[in-house]
Amino acid sequence: MDLSERRPEKLMSADEALSRIKNGSRVFLGTGFGEPRHLIRALAQNKKLHDIMIYQMLSSTLAEFVDDPSFLRRFSIKLFFINNVMRKAAFEGKIDYIPSYLSQLTGLFYSRRIGLDVSLIQVAPPDRFGYCSLGISVALSRAAIDNSKLVIAQVNPRMPRTWGETFVHVDEIDCMVAFEEPLLEDKPCEQDPETAEINARIGHYVSQLVDDGATLQIGLGNVPYSILQYLENKKNLGVHTQMITDAFIPLMEKKIINNKKKTLLPGKAVASLCMGSEALYRYVDDNPLFYFSSSKFVNDPSVIAKNERLISISSALEVDLTGQVCMDSVGDLFYSGSGDQVDFLRGSAMSKGGFSIIALPSTARGGTVSRIAPHLSKGAGVATTRGDVNFVVTEYGIAELQGKSIYQRVMELSQVAHPDFREELIRQAKKRHYIFADQLPPSREDLLFLESYKSIFKLKNGKTIEVRPLVPSDEFSYRNFFYSLRQETIFHRFFYNIKLFPHETIQKHWASVDYRKNMSLIGLSRARGHKEIMAIGSYAMGEDGARAEVAFVVREDFQSLGVASYLMDALQKIAKENGYMGFTATVLRTNSSMLRIFKKKFPAAKMSSSMDGFEIVADFDVPPPPDGDGAPETGEKNEK
């Protein structure tokens, strides 16, 4: 549509349009990198306007004026989110912050709790039917237009025309200011090697939680977006998120993100904002793969939950030992905003097969401050309650908090804290009576090397189990596992009938494991949405120091499925890496399945009779003896 011919009365200069704004007006500014920069500058430089209240979510252009006293005398700024360019002004009290979940912001406009007189927005030129597109800034704009008495639009041919609920007819716009200028861009900063390594490790752990076919939400911040590059081994991922950035595009071009498995708007990447490079803007321009809509839709937890297997990935400034999350303030200083975290945490919790991840580096300020803290900093706001948090991921591992007690949360979180702070976290937890008074702290060793010991094993019945090293936070699961066993199974493992597995006993064995000398691998099966231990295979340094004593326990319903045999192979590989030359074991005569496994795995094993059964010495890489010289035959088939 040629406005100069069809609606010439709407076309005017910025100064002409802004002259219609009255003193004392409440003005909404389009948000993010789609903000109308030309209009905002003209507004700020208009000396005739006074007592103007400005509302905006993500602000950039206003940063040029917040240090000007004459501007601050004429304008009051209220932001729903404080980004990096406005942070200094927030710390200095030059702007005001309105805490609100994004899903609720449009409701504040429609209910007139936040009244609006004027909206300044930016749109793409109208099509032949008169429809403009809100392009890369849809989040709050529709609600602002609907509830403003005066709508002024900057018409910029560089604004992408996006699909979804992005269209505004020229009849809804009172003044149109044709002005072409480049859109704001956000080019990723070059990461220093240490930061890149931390993000790579966080990405590695997060990738373990993301299954093929999941739908992703990626929260604001460098850490969540850097995680995307570590999902290149996934398949059929979908997107339902607040904001699209350049980080999504490589996965889309490789068809890793194809949105085929989504249960809400399949085939579409759903978002309300787009912030990135010019290449990103050209990618979303007239691209039917994207569906942009308002925050009222995108951030509504009940809408989010319609995506099955929705995984929310966001960040935080700090997490306390009980699971409370702060993300909008550093002490008393407002740093960011409530944003979309709680909306997506609750939406993912309601999603079938969905869950949330809080991903953050373990330290701040050059490693001098732990982000896993005994308590949140003085003045820090609780953005996310301890009841909403599921997984917390740092460069040191994964802490699972959902359904866990305070004791368990302390152990999970201290385990993923930086090693330098673990002992102090345990000390502070004892002081607060969160944990047992005799609790040992997690090892100070960096346990990233344990990642190579994780594996997936397909059982003979077609099901799969996850195999990984036992860690101190597994104490409760470990106890539950043993209490689920029959006495016969326990007797085959310990050679006497153990009735109790108290905290003291378990901690003595597993709370502070030296993973170089000793190793315990657990098998985990999925049961009703969570994982249960169904097998444990362990070795510990033997008396001669050259061999390790090995033992296994497999839950009865998983016996005779090859579990112990698989664990034997896995433990042998680890033991060889740690310098052991072989295994020793004491096996009861009635435990025929274990005797058979030793005979199969170690044909040259030496077996001698003892009072309890057989003493076995099985050295690695020893050729089998001549036929007939192997281990004794056994009859009963029952893997214990």
Side-chain angles (χ1 to χ4, degrees), residues 238-283:
V239 172
H240 184 111
T241 193
Q242 175 69 18
M243 187 168 71
I244 296 292
T245 69
D246 288 78
F248 285 97
I249 306 309
L251 296 182
M252 289 181 166
E253 291 177 335
K254 295 174 183 177
K255 310 300 181 185
I256 294 166
I257 293 178
N258 56 27
N259 300 292
K260 289 182 178 180
K261 301 293 184 180
K262 288 183 66 183
T263 52
L264 175 67
L265 293 172
K268 304 289 185 183
V270 175
S272 66
L273 290 172
C274 181
M275 295 174 65
S277 68
E278 178 65 22
L280 172 65
Y281 303 150
R282 300 285 66 84
Y283 189 83

Side-chain angles (χ1 to χ4, degrees), residues 210-216 218 228 230-240 248 251-252 255-262 267-269 309 311 313:
V210 177
D211 291 331
D212 294 343
T215 295
L216 302 179
I218 305 295
L228 283 167
Y230 302 104
L231 301 179
E232 292 196 342
N233 63 334
K234 305 299 178 181
K235 298 177 182 177
N236 299 318
L237 298 180
V239 172
H240 184 111
F248 285 97
L251 296 182
M252 289 181 166
K255 310 300 181 185
I256 294 166
I257 293 178
N258 56 27
N259 300 292
K260 289 182 178 180
K261 301 293 184 180
K262 288 183 66 183
K268 304 289 185 183
R309 303 183 303 282
I311 301 176
I313 304 173

Side-chain angles (χ1 to χ4, degrees), residues 514-618:
D514 182 341
Y515 289 101
R516 306 293 181 181
K517 298 178 181 178
N518 311 307
M519 176 58 63
S520 287
L521 294 178
I522 57 176
L524 295 162
S525 65
R526 189 170 292 277
R528 296 178 295 279
H530 67 281
K531 295 175 182 177
E532 294 179 344
I533 297 177
M534 39 65 63
I536 296 180
S538 305
Y539 72 68
M541 179 182 285
E543 292 181 0
D544 62 1
R547 298 177 181 86
E549 184 176 357
V550 67
F552 302 88
V553 187
V554 179
R555 203 171 69 192
E556 292 82 10
D557 54 332
F558 281 88
Q559 292 177 5
S560 301
L561 294 175
V563 176
S565 183
Y566 180 82
L567 291 176
M568 178 75 84
D569 289 339
L571 286 172
Q572 179 183 349
K573 178 182 177 182
I574 297 169
K576 289 173 69 174
E577 287 182 10
N578 288 306
Y580 288 109
M581 62 180 292
F583 285 147
T584 64
T586 301
V587 182
L588 293 175
R589 297 179 186 276
T590 55
N591 196 352
S592 58
S593 61
M594 283 309 306
L595 292 169
R596 191 164 51 254
I597 288 171
F598 271 102
K599 181 180 179 181
K600 179 181 178 181
K601 300 292 183 183
F602 306 101
K606 298 176 182 177
M607 295 190 180
S608 57
S609 295
S610 68
M611 184 180 300
D612 295 318
F614 294 100
E615 299 293 335
I616 301 174
V617 178

Side-chain angles (χ1 to χ4, degrees), residues 142-374:
R142 179 76 260 178
I145 292 168
D146 289 345
N147 293 283
S148 294
K149 301 168 187 173
L150 176 67
V151 177
I152 302 173
Q154 178 179 335
V155 182
N156 186 354
R158 298 201 185 191
M159 173 67 87
R161 188 175 184 83
T162 55
W163 288 48
E165 298 178 69
T166 74
F167 298 109
V168 180
H169 198 272
V170 292
D171 291 345
E172 300 178 87
I173 300 172
D174 300 295
C175 306
M176 304 188 77
V177 178
F179 191 88
E180 180 175 350
E181 64 180 337
L183 300 179
L184 284 164
E185 292 188 63
D186 181 24
K187 297 178 181 177
C189 299
E190 196 73 29
Q191 293 181 351
D192 62 80
E194 183 178 357
T195 299
E197 171 64 17
I198 289 171
N199 288 340
R201 290 175 57 146
I202 293 173
H204 166 77
Y205 286 115
V206 170
S207 70
Q208 295 179 16
L209 297 172
V210 177
D211 291 331
D212 294 343
T215 295
L216 302 179
Q217 176 263 336
I218 305 295
L220 303 177
N222 292 327
V223 172
Y225 281 104
S226 68
I227 286 168
L228 283 167
Q229 64 185 294
Y230 302 104
L231 301 179
E232 292 196 342
N233 63 334
K234 305 299 178 181
K235 298 177 182 177
N236 299 318
L237 298 180
V239 172
H240 184 111
T241 193
Q242 175 69 18
M243 187 168 71
I244 296 292
T245 69
D246 288 78
F248 285 97
I249 306 309
L251 296 182
M252 289 181 166
E253 291 177 335
K254 295 174 183 177
K255 310 300 181 185
I256 294 166
I257 293 178
N258 56 27
N259 300 292
K260 289 182 178 180
K261 301 293 184 180
K262 288 183 66 183
T263 52
L264 175 67
L265 293 172
K268 304 289 185 183
V270 175
S272 66
L273 290 172
C274 181
M275 295 174 65
S277 68
E278 178 65 22
L280 172 65
Y281 303 150
R282 300 285 66 84
Y283 189 83
V284 302
D285 183 33
D286 202 27
N287 189 338
L289 292 177
F290 294 92
Y291 185 93
F292 285 87
S293 188
S294 71
S295 296
K296 180 181 179 182
F297 175 82
V298 174
N299 291 80
D300 185 337
S302 65
V303 173
I304 294 167
K306 293 178 181 178
N307 293 284
E308 294 182 6
R309 303 183 303 282
L310 190 287
I311 301 176
S312 168
I313 304 173
S314 58
S315 193
L317 295 172
E318 58 179 339
V319 180
D320 77 11
L321 285 175
T322 71
Q324 295 185 117
V325 175
C326 173
M327 62 166 292
D328 69 347
S329 65
V330 176
D332 297 315
L333 300 175
F334 292 114
Y335 186 87
S336 55
S338 301
D340 57 2
Q341 185 176 92
V342 173
D343 290 333
F344 277 96
L345 260 67
R346 292 178 177 171
S348 64
M350 294 187 292
S351 163
K352 182 179 180 181
F355 55 86
S356 62
I357 300 169
I358 304 291
L360 72 164
S362 64
T363 62
R365 301 178 192 171
T368 61
V369 175
S370 176
R371 290 180 183 264
I372 307 296

Side-chain angles (χ1 to χ4, degrees), residues 94-107:
K94 295 176 179 178
I95 61 177
D96 202 2
Y97 163 55
I98 302 177
S100 180
Y101 302 141
L102 285 178
S103 62
Q104 299 173 355
L105 281 179
T106 58

